[in-house]
């Protein structure tokens, strides 16, 4: 840690950094930032920076307003979009109480706590997200328009999305975030950038940085980026399919050369845990009213609890692109939104998988059929239970979950449920265009 701090202080001096932004997130996954002068950085490591946590969504109760933001030197990076005139850097923070205890409602701490439980069992948790989003021509909320009409993997020479992805990937690499590949997605103006495998905490930090980079580059290119789960009717939503694996030291615990799809018993039990607990963690992985319009409109968004190999309609998939490479053994959870809070989402996914290992859950039969093409009766006969069909039902399932309550902790759990109930009530009170078109003149 001392070496990392020394490196940060030396780099700030050598690069002439004028501002250092301390980043952290609220419970809903919104990025927060406070800028300090270089002279204050050493204090941000040792004493931290006092902030009013009661003014930030769910971070602390009003009676426990004061919290401390301590900079994590391992996350130091120069922000390339700020240019060379006034160089600016950022570091993520851990939030603590004035007496030095981790703040119960710090999402980063929630993930660290869950990772520690995995470490107690000898596991390290690695993730690889596929981040989808839309590019819009303007910030017109009433009439959003995508930047192009291209489709999946389309090459558009000189096109806006092509230039945008090139600039975004270059900036991500400049800030130390490795990108595996990028391409145009299926929807008009929809793009995907896949971040390389990393430990889950680094990945969550990278996702928060990634969203900022995407929005910054979009503004530089004269367009707007949105991670809204379902911005357009009749077009695919934006998900964040996430590949996951557990390692025991250097060994991939999910790999067994003799197992079906090269997946080990541990991998099968982990996947069984994901499936068993999927309905109760869905409110965390899909936290918006709009999320359920993505999940229940087809277009490769999973709606039923199932797993498969090449089955894109399944909630959990076992990729097998490199069957002879042990390090590549993994499972893919296809339910996440691109707008999910990555710290909390990774926490509940890991907790569900670990529960499957601890309890020895049995993996149900693989889904071979295209689940979307089956009738309700056929799905029921085959045992494919639906995921929650609305935020209201997802919150109901979450409220009954001991797993989610224990993983998130009382303060995060209570705030999250209360906040999402308010979202649902506000949505339910709306009179929609569909209702007006159907009923205004006919009734």
């Amino acid at each position: 840690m001392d070496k990392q701090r020394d490196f940060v202080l030396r780099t700030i001096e050598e690069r002439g950094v004028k501002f250092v932004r301390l980043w952290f997130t609220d419970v809903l996954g919104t990025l927060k930032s406070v800028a300090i002068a270089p002279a204050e950085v050493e204090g941000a490591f040792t004493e931290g920076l006092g902030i009013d946590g009661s003014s930030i969504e769910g971070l602390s109760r009003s009676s426990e307003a004061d919290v401390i933001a301590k900079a994590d030197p391992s996350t130091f990076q120069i922000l390339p979009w700020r240019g060379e005139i006034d160089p600016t850097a950022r570091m993520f923070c851990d939030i603590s109480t004035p007496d030095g205890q981790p703040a119960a409602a710090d999402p980063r701490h929630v993930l660290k706590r869950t990772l520690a439980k995995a470490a107690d069992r000898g596991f390290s948790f690695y993730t690889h997200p596929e981040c989808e989003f839309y590019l819009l021509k303007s910030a017109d909320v009433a009439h959003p328009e995508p930047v192009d009409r291209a489709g999946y993997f389309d090459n558009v020479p000189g096109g806006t999305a092509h230039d945008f992805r090139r600039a975004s990937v270059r900036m991500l690499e400049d800030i130390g975030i490795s990108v595996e590949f990028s391409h145009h997605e299926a929807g008009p103006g929809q793009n995907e950038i896949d971040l390389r495998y990393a430990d889950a905490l680094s990945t969550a930090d990278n996702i928060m940085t990634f969203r900022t980079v995407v929005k910054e580059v979009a503004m530089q290119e004269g367009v707007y980026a949105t991670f809204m789960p379902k911005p357009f009717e009749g077009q695919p939503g934006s998900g964040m399919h996430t590949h996951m694996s557990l390692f025991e030291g250097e060994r991939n615990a999910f790999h067994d050369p003799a197992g079906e799809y090269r997946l080990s018993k541990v991998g099968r039990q982990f996947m069984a845990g994901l499936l068993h607990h999927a309905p109760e963690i869905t409110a965390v992985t899909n936290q918006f009213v709009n999320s359920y319009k993505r999940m229940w409109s087809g277009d490769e968004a999973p709606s039923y609890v199932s797993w498969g190999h090449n089955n894109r309609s399944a909630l959990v998939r076992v990729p097998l692109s490199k069957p002879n490479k042990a390090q590549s053994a993994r499972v893919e959870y296809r339910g996440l939104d691109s707008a999910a809070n990555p710290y909390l989402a990774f926490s509940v996914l890991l907790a569900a998988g670990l529960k499957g290992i601890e309890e020895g859950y049995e993996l149900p039969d693989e889904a071979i059929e295209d689940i979307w093409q089956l009738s309700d009766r056929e799905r029921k006969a085959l045992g494919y239970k639906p995921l929650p069909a609305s935020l209201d039902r997802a919150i109901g399932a979450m409220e009954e979950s001991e797993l989610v309550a224990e993983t998130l902790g009382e303060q995060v759990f209570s705030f999250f449920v209360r906040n999402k109930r308010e979202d649902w009530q506000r949505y339910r009170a709306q009179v929609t265009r569909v209702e007006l078109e159907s009923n205004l003149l006919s009734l």
Side-chain angles (χ1 to χ4, degrees), residues 276-284 388 394 397-404:
H276 182 85
H277 295 285
E280 65 206 73
I281 68 174
T282 297
V284 179
M398 177 178 167
E399 284 179 310
E400 300 297 321
S401 173
E402 292 183 8
L403 177 86
V404 177

Side-chain angles (χ1 to χ4, degrees), residues 1 4 8 22 44-45 70-76 90-94 108 112 201 205:
M1 184 67 76
Q4 290 175 331
V8 170
L22 304 184
F45 291 143
K70 272 196 171 183
D72 180 348
S74 69
T75 65
F76 177 84
R90 72 95 163 98
M91 285 184 284
F92 281 95
C93 290
D94 292 309
R108 203 166 187 259
K112 281 187 169 184
L201 183 62
D205 289 343

Side-chain angles (χ1 to χ4, degrees), residues 41 128 144 302 321:
V41 171
H128 153 57
S321 57

